Amino acid sequence: MFFQNKKIIFLLFLLLLFNNYVFPKEYMFESFNEDSEKRWEFITDQVMGGVSFGKKELLEEKKVSFIRITGFVSIDNNGGFIQARRNLNKTDNKISNGIKLKLRGNDSIYYIHLRTKFTLLPWQYYQGKIKASENWEEINIKLSDFNRSGRLLPKRIDPSKITSIALVAFGREHKVKLDVEQIKFY
């Protein structure tokens, strides 16, 4: 009986020890309330001579707040992006394994760009691909699924070094409509 209790206690201890790996905790990063307008910056390729255009708006529908990015991405003049970006501070950065988004769109491909302390040049980032269907859905992107934009960046993302996150329409001519209700880190 004594040895059986020890085994149970040992198994419980292991479960508690590995709890974050087995059942990763989620942290709400952004739920797009009225203060979100100040935290999110809208950027287009016009900063480098491109002609893409658009806007970001904070909207509410059926008591649900979300950010909407609309516009048109053009590849003319070496352009090709529009984005809404938010910087992370030390208390924001609780990413350990990945990012969960609740989103919808125009049945198109969009991207999440992460910048780190190692992305010194404006065109450097880590990119995660997402598809935004016409209905609200949750999408998970593991940090290991992000691709670096160049060989000068470390292959793996160090979560403690992430400095910003961006919602991006990129790389091809298309109309943009992307709604994001929340962003969670896990």
Side-chain angles (χ1 to χ4, degrees):
M1 179 93 170
F2 175 73
F3 289 110
Q4 193 171 15
N5 287 339
K6 271 184 143 179
K7 286 182 183 179
I8 291 171
I9 291 171
F10 180 72
L11 289 173
L12 287 172
F13 173 75
L14 283 178
L15 183 61
L16 288 173
L17 184 64
F18 294 107
N19 187 32
N20 283 343
Y21 299 106
V22 177
F23 307 107
K25 294 180 182 177
E26 291 181 354
Y27 299 95
M28 181 61 74
F29 170 66
E30 183 68 76
S31 59
F32 297 103
N33 58 36
E34 59 276 354
D35 293 332
S36 300
E37 181 70 34
K38 300 171 197 163
R39 293 189 294 262
W40 288 84
E41 173 185 20
F42 188 77
I43 305 165
T44 73
D45 58 19
Q46 292 179 16
V47 298
M48 53 182 244
V51 296
S52 300
F53 60 89
K55 64 181 178 178
K56 72 163 171 66
E57 302 173 274
L58 264 78
L59 302 172
E60 188 174 311
E61 182 179 283
K62 297 179 184 176
K63 297 186 181 183
V64 173
S65 298
F66 56 94
I67 191 170
R68 173 173 285 166
I69 302 166
T70 55
F72 185 78
V73 174
S74 171
I75 56 174
D76 292 343
N77 291 351
N78 294 321
F81 74 89
I82 64 173
Q83 68 175 283
R85 182 170 63 197
R86 179 179 164 185
N87 291 326
L88 277 68
N89 60 43
K90 290 180 182 179
T91 58
D92 287 331
N93 194 353
K94 295 185 178 175
I95 300 175
S96 56
N97 296 313
I99 299 169
K100 180 186 278 191
L101 300 107
K102 187 168 184 184
L103 55 82
R104 70 179 177 190
N106 56 350
D107 210 24
S108 193
I109 300 294
Y110 295 98
Y111 300 92
I112 303 300
H113 283 187
L114 299 177
R115 291 185 52 85
T116 70
K117 292 182 179 182
F118 302 111
T119 54
L120 303 175
L121 302 172
W123 52 85
Q124 292 179 315
Y125 51 83
Y126 291 90
Q127 183 179 73
K129 188 176 183 180
I130 55 175
K131 179 158 188 194
S133 68
E134 293 180 7
N135 299 311
W136 288 109
E137 63 182 330
E138 287 189 348
I139 305 277
N140 290 309
I141 307 171
K142 295 179 185 173
L143 286 182
S144 60
D145 292 338
F146 280 78
N147 297 310
R148 60 189 174 153
S149 63
R151 292 180 177 237
L152 296 177
L153 297 176
K155 286 183 182 180
R156 294 182 182 206
I157 300 172
D158 179 346
S160 69
K161 305 287 189 236
I162 296 172
T163 58
S164 72
I165 183 171
L167 308 167
V168 184
F170 173 78
R172 60 183 174 78
E173 290 201 4
H174 66 287
K175 284 186 177 181
V176 175
K177 182 181 178 191
L178 176 64
D179 297 341
V180 179
E181 179 189 328
Q182 57 185 234
I183 301 172
K184 294 179 180 178
F185 295 155
Y186 65 92

